[in-house]
Amino acid sequence: MLLSNGNDVRSRQSWRVRVKMAEYLASIFGTEKDKVNCSFYFKIGACRHGDRCSRLHNKPTFSQTIVLLNLYRNPQNTAQTADGSHCHVSDVEVQEHYDNFFEEVFTELQEKYGEIEEMNVCDNLGDHLVGNVYVKFRREEDAERAVAELNNRWFNGQAVHAELSPVTDFRESCCRQYEMGECTRGGFCNFMHLRPISRNLRRQLYGRGPRRRSPPRSHTGDRPRERNRRRSPDHRHGRF
């Protein structure tokens, strides 16, 4: 009987140790203290080491957020003349180009897959972040369907690579120094440098109060746009 009681005590002690260890591992998961899982992938959904990373990249099986890898191309980084020299593109032209891209992608995805809570585009230069488009849907089912279908699509002449992302809180993913104009790492910073859209477009897409689905397209395939926004042939983007 005493032997049985001793075993019970040791069993309870062992159970408490396992519980404490599980609680500790859960508390450090995805942080710098976690020596098993990559904290950068957990926070940003990308890692500069890629498959060579010494820590695990735990890709989610369900999430509200998807990432479209390297989808946005900043014309200031890619514009060239016929002889291969760099072509100057003004900041105004870049913003117009970006707003058109953002509206195209946002509206297309919301019409096809469901309500979008948030969409962000990286303006970083590192290969693992450059041009990444993060889309957070209201429902996980919409995100799952979007990934399944978008991986069979092309956009603006390039194949779309979509996957579920662990990122749900972009405040943890963003470079705070960049937001304050103080980041010294420039475009190769390992935290997100999110490019903002114009205020008018933000009001148009997000507005105030409950957001509604975009109106159905007309028989010509064109969508209503703000009258004061120009859309030149050079700034047209491919549809999904």
Side-chain angles (χ1 to χ4, degrees):
M1 189 69 177
L2 291 175
L3 181 62
S4 176
N5 288 339
N7 288 336
D8 288 344
V9 170
R10 285 193 294 271
S11 177
R12 286 195 295 271
Q13 289 175 339
S14 176
W15 177 79
R16 291 193 186 100
V17 169
R18 290 197 298 269
V19 169
K20 288 182 178 179
M21 178 59 69
E23 290 174 347
Y24 172 73
L25 292 175
S27 69
I28 67 170
F29 181 81
T31 68
E32 283 74 10
K33 293 182 180 179
D34 190 342
K35 303 302 182 183
V36 177
N37 303 287
C38 178
S39 61
F40 270 103
Y41 183 79
F42 180 71
K43 289 181 181 179
I44 303 172
C47 170
R48 64 188 179 93
H49 298 294
D51 295 335
R52 301 187 308 275
C53 184
S54 60
R55 301 182 184 184
L56 295 178
H57 293 176
N58 291 301
K59 296 191 175 183
T61 55
F62 55 88
S63 176
Q64 290 176 260
T65 307
I66 71 171
V67 56
L68 308 176
L69 300 172
N70 312 127
L71 190 68
Y72 172 65
R73 295 180 178 178
N74 188 326
Q76 285 183 327
N77 300 330
T78 59
Q80 291 183 335
T81 60
D83 61 1
S85 60
H86 188 74
C87 180
H88 175 72
V89 182
S90 70
D91 291 342
V92 173
E93 290 174 314
V94 169
Q95 189 63 48
E96 182 182 1
H97 176 277
Y98 176 64
D99 280 354
N100 286 334
F101 167 86
F102 194 101
E103 181 184 7
E104 185 86 30
V105 173
F106 186 102
T107 307
E108 191 84 5
L109 295 182
Q110 183 158 260
E111 283 180 351
K112 287 186 175 181
Y113 303 114
E115 183 178 343
I116 293 174
E117 288 189 355
E118 188 174 358
M119 178 170 136
N120 292 295
V121 179
C122 287
D123 207 22
N124 302 64
L125 295 176
D127 291 341
H128 61 300
L129 285 175
V130 60
N132 284 2
V133 178
Y134 292 83
V135 185
K136 183 179 179 181
F137 289 92
R138 187 175 66 85
R139 302 194 312 163
E140 291 176 349
E141 303 94 306
D142 296 338
E144 182 179 9
R145 186 163 63 92
V147 167
E149 294 186 10
L150 288 172
N151 277 315
N152 298 316
R153 304 291 179 87
W154 290 69
F155 183 85
N156 198 29
Q158 60 179 319
V160 176
H161 299 286
E163 59 185 47
L164 293 175
S165 173
V167 179
T168 54
D169 186 352
F170 288 92
R171 293 172 298 181
E172 294 293 321
S173 309
C174 296
C175 173
R176 292 180 176 84
Q177 286 77 17
Y178 172 76
E179 293 176 347
M180 297 184 292
E182 299 175 356
C183 181
T184 58
R185 300 180 182 88
F188 292 97
C189 179
N190 285 320
F191 286 93
M192 291 184 187
H193 288 188
L194 299 182
R195 188 175 185 89
I197 56 176
S198 64
R199 292 181 179 179
N200 287 339
L201 181 58
R202 178 166 294 280
R203 283 195 294 267
Q204 177 187 331
L205 296 179
Y206 294 103
R208 292 186 177 181
R211 194 161 60 253
R212 298 178 181 176
R213 292 250 182 158
S214 300
R217 302 173 196 156
S218 66
H219 67 280
T220 60
D222 295 324
R223 290 191 300 276
R225 300 186 182 273
E226 293 183 48
R227 293 182 180 179
N228 60 348
R229 296 188 65 225
R230 295 179 294 106
R231 191 169 178 82
S232 67
D234 294 337
H235 290 158
R236 288 176 186 163
H237 295 275
R239 303 169 73 83
F240 289 108

